[in-house]
Amino acid sequence: MRHDIEFNTEDGVILRGWFYRAKGVEGPAPTVIMAHGFTATREIFLGSFAEVFSAAGMNVIVYDHRNFGVSDGTPRQHVDPWAQINGYRDAITYAQTLPEVDAGRIGIWGSSYSGGHVLVVAALDRRVKCVVSQVPLTWGFESARRLIRGDHWAGLRAAFDGDRAARARGEPGAMMPVTAPEGQPCALPTADTYDFFTRFAAENETSWRNEVTLHSIEMFTEYEPATYIARIAPTPLMVVVASGDHLTPFDMTARAYAQALEPKRLVVLPGGHFEAYTGEPFAISAPAQRDWFSTHL
């Protein structure tokens, strides 16, 4: 069973999502807080993981980041990683006010861009007792340089500067597609990104929109969550990687994981970045994540 929830951030933005009640538990239960990756929204497969965790006796809070989906916030479709990090921390504060929640047993889960966020949150916030980071962004600048053709990089930097000047004049920030057919400008220029989002949008009712602020991409290039990973211990950390991932590449994630201290566990899945949400990789990963949370919460 799930029901709708909403809570306030420290700066007064309302975030909305779902609360899954722990099955078979009377009284306060451990709780996992979940949010999705770059421009995505709660309905894009997060419920599949939440149901696995709930069935194992954990509450789950799933919410949309500010500026996306059913949550408030402006500018719309703007990804500010530090505002999203603070959103996780606000979600923890909210969870600890609920009678169904054991305030001393809070875990966090993130995937892709939010997989990077939970590394930062777990390093900074000792209310977090366990963390799962799935196919995470680790180093933003290096990731961007791998994704963006070298002959396009100078032009993109000039576009960032022009957008900053336009916003300073009070003009709306520039927008660009999140994903597009091969060869067309977009934020995430991989074929599997285009296939994943467009197929999901065609087959499901979703609040996802194929646009993002150009400023979001500039902030992506400046975001380095892996620099926090050694500070997570002694909070238990699970990192889930996909062996064929070229959006958040395996080698970068493995390098970040090597810097983490114990207790930690690495789970390697077959396939690419987006296959982590469905099919055989999900069948491998979701039970492992459930057991990690169950053990440490």
Side-chain angles (χ1 to χ4, degrees):
M1 281 294 283
R2 77 183 188 199
H3 62 266
D4 293 340
I5 57 168
E6 63 178 45
F7 57 94
N8 285 308
T9 66
E10 281 196 353
D11 59 345
V13 174
I14 297 175
L15 305 183
R16 298 183 178 88
W18 296 314
F19 183 89
Y20 291 77
R21 182 66 171 112
K23 293 181 180 178
V25 178
E26 295 184 6
T31 301
V32 177
I33 294 170
M34 303 177 62
H36 219 304
F38 192 82
T39 78
T41 49
R42 59 180 178 165
E43 69 272 8
I44 304 180
F45 297 113
L46 291 197
S48 301
F49 290 91
E51 289 169 3
V52 171
F53 303 153
S54 174
M58 292 171 276
N59 301 316
V60 185
I61 289 173
V62 177
Y63 70 96
D64 282 333
H65 289 300
R66 67 164 65 204
N67 310 334
F68 289 90
V70 295
S71 290
D72 290 351
T74 55
R76 300 304 291 175
Q77 302 301 118
H78 177 58
V79 184
D80 180 335
W82 290 99
Q84 293 186 351
I85 286 165
N86 287 331
Y88 266 100
R89 303 183 78 175
D90 293 327
I92 295 169
T93 301
Y94 165 72
Q96 291 182 322
T97 69
L98 300 177
E100 302 94 335
V101 171
D102 183 336
R105 292 191 288 168
I106 302 287
I108 56 174
W109 182 101
S111 188
S112 195
Y113 208 55
S114 287
H117 298 346
V118 296
L119 300 177
V120 180
V121 174
L124 298 178
D125 198 323
R126 290 301 162 191
R127 295 176 298 173
V128 175
K129 303 307 180 186
C130 186
V131 56
V132 171
S133 174
Q134 177 175 275
V135 293
L137 175 77
T138 48
W139 282 279
F141 181 78
E142 184 177 348
S143 294
R145 290 311 309 262
R146 291 199 193 187
L147 288 168
I148 299 166
R149 281 175 42 181
D151 58 337
H152 290 177
W153 183 253
L156 181 63
R157 293 296 316 173
F160 291 161
D161 295 342
D163 182 57
R164 189 172 288 275
R167 288 185 280 110
R169 294 191 296 268
E171 300 170 14
M175 307 291 291
M176 75 181 309
V178 176
T179 185
E182 188 173 358
Q184 297 183 21
C186 63
L188 302 177
T190 69
D192 58 343
T193 302
Y194 182 75
D195 180 68
F196 176 80
F197 279 114
T198 57
R199 180 179 300 180
F200 186 89
E203 297 175 353
N204 300 274
E205 183 176 342
T206 179
S207 57
W208 178 78
R209 290 163 51 187
N210 189 18
E211 61 177 356
V212 66
T213 66
L214 184 61
H215 190 198
S216 301
I217 302 167
E218 182 179 23
M219 298 184 84
F220 181 109
T221 69
E222 299 167 353
Y223 182 40
E224 310 291 347
T227 59
Y228 287 83
I229 199 166
R231 294 172 54 181
I232 294 173
T235 304
L237 167 67
M238 172 178 279
V239 175
V240 180
V241 295
S243 58
D245 196 332
H246 51 266
L247 188 61
T248 56
F250 174 90
D251 66 293
M252 292 173 61
T253 307
R255 177 160 32 104
Y257 177 80
Q259 297 178 16
L261 306 179
E262 298 287 351
K264 63 180 181 177
R265 181 183 173 195
L266 183 70
V267 176
V268 181
L269 303 177
H273 185 84
F274 295 101
E275 291 168 275
Y277 299 98
T278 59
E280 179 188 359
F282 174 82
I284 296 169
S285 182
Q289 296 178 27
R290 173 201 64 202
D291 294 348
W292 187 254
F293 281 129
S294 294
T295 297
H296 295 288
L297 295 181

